Amino acid sequence: MTIRSMLLACSAAVMLTAGAAGAKTLVYCSEASPEGFDPAPYTAGTTFDASSHPVYDQLVEFKPGTTEIEPGLAEKWDVSADGLTYTFHLRPGVKFHSVDGFTPTRDFNADDVIFSFDRQADPKNAYYQYAPGISYEYYNAMDMPKIVKSVEKVDDLTVKFTLTEPNAPFLADMAMDFASILSKEYADKLASEDRKADINNVPVGTGPFEFVAYQKDAVIRYKANPDYFKGKTPVDDLIFAITPDPAVRMQKLQAGECQIMPYPAPADIAALKADQNLTVEEQPGLNVAYLAYNTKQAPFDNVNVRKALNMAINKQAIIEAVFQGAGQVAKNPIPPTMWSYNKDIKDDAYDPAEAKKMLDAAGVKDLTMNIWAMPVQRPYMPNARRTAELMQSDLAKVGVTANIVSYEWGEYLKKSKDPARDGAVILGWTGDNGDPDNFLGVLLSCAGAESGANRAFWCDKDFENLITKAKQSSDMAERTKLYEQAQVVFKEQAPWDTLAHSTVFMPMSKKVTGYVMSPLGGHDFYGVDIQE
């Protein structure tokens, strides 16, 4: 029996059983299933919560609760005066996890760093496309193949990255999930046994939790890593109880079946706050929800049609009905809490009469289109189906018939980045590193249009020039000005209808201590404890 089949054979009941007597178990009611356990091919926060956060580490990390960089697997680093060379000095004595069939024979070293990046860059690497459909969306959308000239081993504990051009966000990029460090020794063993796909099924990292088992769409189980370089985390076991329905997540939390839940329904916030056994933390989300038109397809290749559709949609009604006070209308593709936000941008007005005139002038009559609605809650979108229904009603008033389509979450993400995709897709983004490039570069660049991260498939020369100059500059004032100008171009060309920026709520048992909300929207359970 293979490792994978053994894991899948485990029942949810067995996996939810507490560990040894006296062991502490933290149960997190997750909102959806991960796409896999290798963080590099994916972009969904659900996947990162289940993979890069518990299982892996990066060279540098974000200090909990901030976007401030601090040492991770690299103890320190040097940057050359010209900004082209980053030398990382690696932490000695870091241990990789063991799983059934693999026990590491050496500590983490430079070979693991080089493997983790080379597989995303080099088509000749055995893991460049180790399973059908695997591609490195972040690495490509951020134009890393162009920016990173080489990654070289200086010695076992020193790695040198050489860039082709200065890149202001580079260090923060190295703290992102796609930059998680995998074990080359484990990858080589899997390759020798013709089971490369298991790198995505049975993950091995250096992180605070070791993967134990996964039953698809039901439960994931982890155990604390006793050899973690920062020290063992207080709980002994971590369980993700996959619970897509927010009402059921709430019931489980109130019944004590889980201790933490994400993304409560806005209508339930008041009741959760009133529960004396719970704490509800909240913060403004570093996020945006949007409707991305496929600008490669008629009539969405016409900016006047996109503008008209934007004017037909009543975004304030969406805020009131869907977000219920836990969000604000978005006019820009970056949130107002982010530096370089252009407050002087004027949003497309809600004006159905003018929208109808613009569609008529563009020769668009009896348009039928698809609106893609996400099947899961995300921090930026509490209920995509309800949002799509409101859009459907608004568009009908200007003579547009909108059909609502959806897919399972993994399929939704995969199909929506296909350039042949029809209509417009509801999606959103929570910042990964606190830099505007992480929104504008990943979601709206020409490289993003090729990789699929840019769901509008929009490639605009003026916009591209502005964001390229911004990320090459180390002058914050200059970068701010360039990003402000880029937002003007975005608004004029309207590849999206910017929908909302949300407030993020995190309900948990009052027994939970040590949990820190991240401005980047992820959920990290290292250091979290349960007081009995």
Side-chain angles (χ1 to χ4, degrees):
M1 180 180 275
T2 66
I3 292 175
R4 188 179 184 191
S5 61
M6 287 171 64
L7 296 177
L8 293 175
C10 295
S11 71
V14 169
M15 286 191 282
L16 279 170
T17 302
K24 286 186 178 180
T25 300
L26 176 67
V27 182
Y28 169 65
C29 277
S30 175
E31 79 288 0
S33 301
E35 300 153 278
F37 291 92
D38 176 0
Y42 305 113
T43 61
T46 302
T47 298
F48 299 151
D49 287 342
S51 60
S52 45
H53 299 168
V55 177
Y56 295 105
D57 292 298
Q58 298 76 39
L59 292 173
V60 295
E61 301 174 350
F62 296 111
K63 185 177 179 181
T66 77
T67 56
E68 178 185 339
I69 297 296
E70 64 178 11
L73 289 175
E75 288 185 311
K76 58 182 180 178
W77 51 89
D78 308 309
V79 184
S80 62
D82 61 7
L84 296 179
T85 303
Y86 288 73
T87 304
F88 293 94
H89 304 277
L90 308 181
R91 192 179 298 275
V94 175
K95 311 294 183 186
F96 276 104
H97 306 155
S98 296
V99 293
D100 194 10
F102 172 73
T103 300
T105 63
R106 62 163 177 82
D107 293 345
F108 154 75
N109 67 26
D111 294 331
D112 304 304
V113 177
I114 291 171
F115 165 73
S116 297
F117 288 95
D118 185 67
R119 72 191 183 109
Q120 300 182 61
D122 183 3
K124 296 178 182 178
N125 189 293
Y127 280 86
Y128 183 74
Q129 193 173 57
Y130 62 83
I134 288 291
S135 64
Y136 297 103
E137 192 172 323
Y138 260 119
Y139 195 84
N140 291 307
M142 297 168 70
D143 226 6
M144 287 290 174
K146 174 186 172 185
I147 293 167
V148 179
K149 182 179 180 181
S150 64
V151 185
E152 301 171 275
K153 177 179 179 178
V154 178
D155 57 44
D156 276 354
L157 293 177
T158 313
V159 177
K160 182 172 72 173
F161 285 71
T162 302
L163 310 186
T164 59
E165 59 192 31
N167 186 271
F170 182 75
L171 196 59
D173 292 345
M174 290 297 97
M176 289 170 55
D177 303 272
F178 83 94
S180 296
I181 305 302
L182 280 64
S183 165
K184 183 180 186 301
E185 184 182 17
Y186 179 53
D188 288 345
K189 178 176 173 59
L190 292 178
S192 71
E193 297 172 355
D194 197 25
R195 340 186 253 121
K196 292 198 295 286
D198 271 348
I199 208 164
N200 199 22
N201 301 322
V202 187
V204 168
T206 59
F209 293 94
E210 298 180 5
F211 176 85
V212 175
Y214 172 46
Q215 183 174 6
K216 185 173 173 56
D217 300 331
V219 64
I220 314 169
R221 183 163 184 166
Y222 310 84
K223 64 180 181 181
N225 175 6
D227 299 317
Y228 190 47
F229 69 86
K230 295 182 185 178
K232 179 187 172 296
T233 195
V235 298
D236 301 289
D237 297 287
L238 172 65
I239 290 172
F240 280 34
I242 298 168
T243 314
D245 188 325
V248 178
R249 289 200 298 276
M250 179 178 171
Q251 291 168 6
K252 287 184 176 181
L253 180 67
Q254 291 180 317
E257 295 176 27
C258 60
Q259 288 80 44
I260 305 178
M261 67 164 280
Y263 319 131
D268 293 334
I269 298 295
L272 288 163
K273 287 183 174 181
D275 190 321
Q276 295 184 352
N277 296 314
L278 303 179
T279 298
V280 181
E281 297 189 5
E282 65 181 271
Q283 66 183 13
L286 193 73
N287 61 40
V288 64
Y290 59 81
L291 179 73
Y293 303 108
N294 187 342
T295 63
K296 295 296 185 186
Q297 291 188 355
F300 311 109
D301 57 346
N302 184 332
V303 63
N304 292 323
V305 171
R306 300 195 297 265
K307 283 278 192 181
L309 296 174
N310 286 358
M311 294 173 71
I313 293 171
N314 187 346
K315 295 194 290 190
Q316 186 58 47
I318 292 171
I319 293 295
E320 292 169 3
V322 177
F323 290 79
Q324 299 185 32
Q328 65 186 90
V329 168
K331 64 180 181 179
N332 291 330
I334 63 175
T337 51
M338 175 165 276
W339 62 271
S340 83
Y341 179 83
N342 191 336
K343 65 181 186 305
D344 296 326
I345 295 283
K346 293 193 183 304
D347 201 7
D348 298 313
Y350 171 55
D351 191 338
E354 183 62 24
K356 183 70 168 66
K357 288 180 185 177
M358 291 175 67
L359 289 173
D360 289 344
V364 175
K365 298 184 183 297
D366 301 320
L367 172 64
T368 297
M369 63 179 285
N370 284 342
I371 295 177
W372 291 44
M374 299 162 5
V376 298
Q377 282 185 288
R378 301 304 304 137
Y380 48 77
M381 176 53 65
N383 189 331
R385 181 81 190 191
R386 179 62 179 139
T387 298
E389 290 169 352
L390 292 168
M391 291 178 176
Q392 183 182 52
S393 176
D394 287 340
L395 292 171
K397 296 171 186 174
V398 298
V400 175
T401 300
N403 299 315
I404 301 171
V405 298
S406 191
Y407 299 91
E408 179 272 330
W409 184 221
E411 281 298 298
Y412 186 93
L413 291 169
K414 180 179 177 181
K415 290 178 180 293
S416 65
K417 67 180 182 181
D418 184 345
R421 185 208 77 222
D422 49 27
V425 59
I426 297 174
L427 258 177
W429 193 255
T430 298
D432 294 289
N433 62 14
D435 195 289
D437 178 70
N438 181 246
F439 283 77
L440 305 180
V442 175
L443 303 179
L444 292 161
S445 66
C446 295
E450 291 182 11
S451 74
N454 178 345
R455 291 318 203 270
F457 311 106
W458 177 69
C459 176
D460 183 274
K461 183 177 69 174
D462 293 336
F463 182 89
E464 190 77 10
N465 287 340
L466 289 165
I467 65 170
T468 299
K469 289 177 182 176
K471 70 181 178 183
Q472 291 175 350
S473 173
S474 58
D475 184 318
M476 182 67 81
E478 181 183 6
R479 294 189 76 205
T480 296
K481 182 178 179 181
L482 290 165
Y483 285 134
E484 287 175 345
Q485 292 171 358
Q487 289 166 74
V488 172
V489 175
F490 167 87
K491 204 65 187 180
E492 289 173 348
Q493 293 299 310
W496 299 349
D497 189 5
T498 48
L499 301 176
H501 307 294
S502 75
T503 301
V504 179
F505 297 90
M506 198 68 181
M508 64 192 74
S509 166
K510 285 188 174 177
K511 294 180 180 179
V512 171
T513 63
Y515 182 84
V516 179
M517 287 189 76
S518 169
L520 305 174
H523 304 107
D524 188 347
F525 301 106
Y526 177 69
V528 177
D529 200 356
I530 304 171
Q531 303 299 323
E532 297 297 341

